[in-house]
Amino acid sequence: MPSGAGTTGGDAAETSRTVTVSVIDDDPMVCQAMGLILTDYSNGRIRVVSTSTDGTGAVERAAAERPDVVLMDIAMPGMDGIEAARRLRALPHAPHVLMLTSLNPSNTVERSVEAGAEGFVSKTDAPGDIIRRVLDVCEGAPQFNTASQRQLIGDLRVQRPVGRRDEARRLLDALPARERETVLLAAEGLSNAEIAARMFISERTAKAHLSSAADKLSMNRVQLARLVERADLPPVG
């Protein structure tokens, strides 16, 4: 399964591996529309393995089907999409999770990231954009639009308890120096190639450093960036 802190979106679009996707939305018409978009416009790069209309069923099916990516609606009766995302990310073969929304997210971005989501897909996005987000998230590229990023950073700045800040710094300081540096640079928004150029290492080595840090902290690239925000450190010079 594609996972981890990975390469750029261009590499994702060129992969020959078929990415498997599950679509979760309480509106069957949305499930059908997303299924058609992903199947008909991806030139065989994406295969929809199932659709579900509730969070509980989605988690059960994902445990059996092991999709690479789950598109998860936020507002659903019973278990909402954020709790379902949390349970999906706790599975032994955890899929990437993109939150599926028709509105500009409000008070949901931080909760979604805490649950392990790696981005948002709008139901009104162009087919090509939806497909790009699905493929790119498999390569470790966070899929947050500008509004979502601003909301997340704003939420973090409103309240950053000292205890959580110190814990974040402790976790970062526990990493080897080079891994810590790649994490800080990635949190500034640098691509793997830009990190490699800044550190005078190969792009492969930069990717390996990020992947190792992600494994040690049990975090994806989005969560690592959030950890750096919480640590409230100065930018890497």
Side-chain angles (χ1 to χ4, degrees):
M1 171 170 40
S3 63
T7 59
T8 61
D11 293 331
E14 296 171 4
T15 182
S16 60
R17 186 189 185 286
T18 300
V19 172
T20 56
V21 177
S22 291
V23 181
I24 321 301
D25 196 287
D26 62 352
D27 185 344
M29 295 297 291
V30 172
C31 290
Q32 182 180 19
M34 283 292 160
L36 289 173
I37 287 172
L38 295 171
T39 301
D40 293 351
Y41 289 86
S42 68
N43 297 319
R45 291 174 293 173
I46 296 173
R47 178 168 62 90
V48 177
V49 293
S50 67
T51 61
S52 299
T53 55
D54 68 278
T56 302
V59 175
E60 293 174 352
R61 296 189 72 163
E65 296 167 347
R66 299 183 183 180
D68 297 318
V69 180
V70 173
L71 295 183
M72 175 67 70
D73 189 26
I74 295 175
M76 294 188 295
M79 184 192 301
D80 71 4
I82 294 175
E83 177 58 28
R86 191 185 315 279
R87 298 191 186 189
L88 285 170
R89 293 297 298 164
L91 292 174
H93 299 274
H96 298 279
V97 178
L98 294 174
M99 308 309 292
L100 189 59
T101 178
S102 58
L103 302 172
N104 188 34
S106 177
N107 300 321
T108 56
V109 178
E110 184 175 5
R111 290 177 58 222
S112 297
V113 172
E114 292 279 7
E118 295 170 77
F120 284 76
V121 170
S122 173
K123 299 173 187 178
T124 59
D125 280 345
D129 290 337
I130 295 172
I131 289 165
R132 175 181 56 79
R133 290 189 183 281
V134 169
L135 295 176
D136 284 1
V137 79
C138 290
E139 298 299 321
Q143 300 302 306
F144 288 85
N145 59 26
T146 301
S148 299
Q149 291 173 349
R150 286 175 178 169
Q151 182 184 320
L152 178 58
I153 293 171
D155 288 345
L156 290 171
R157 286 174 177 167
V158 168
Q159 184 177 12
R160 185 184 287 118
V162 173
R164 297 185 72 194
R165 184 201 65 188
D166 291 346
E167 174 66 11
R169 291 182 177 183
R170 185 189 65 78
L171 290 173
L172 290 170
D173 288 343
L175 295 172
R178 298 296 270 175
E179 290 181 12
R180 182 179 184 276
E181 186 175 356
T182 59
V183 170
L184 297 182
L185 291 170
E188 290 184 26
L190 274 65
S191 68
N192 290 346
E194 291 168 332
I195 293 171
R198 181 80 70 88
M199 296 178 63
F200 302 103
I201 57 177
S202 70
E203 187 172 350
R204 181 188 297 270
T205 300
K207 179 180 177 181
H209 283 330
L210 280 170
S211 180
S212 178
D215 288 344
K216 287 173 181 173
L217 297 178
S218 299
M219 294 181 180
N220 58 42
R221 192 161 182 154
V222 176
Q223 290 169 311
L224 287 174
R226 188 178 186 284
L227 181 70
V228 174
E229 277 287 335
R230 194 160 64 237
D232 195 21
L233 298 170
V236 177

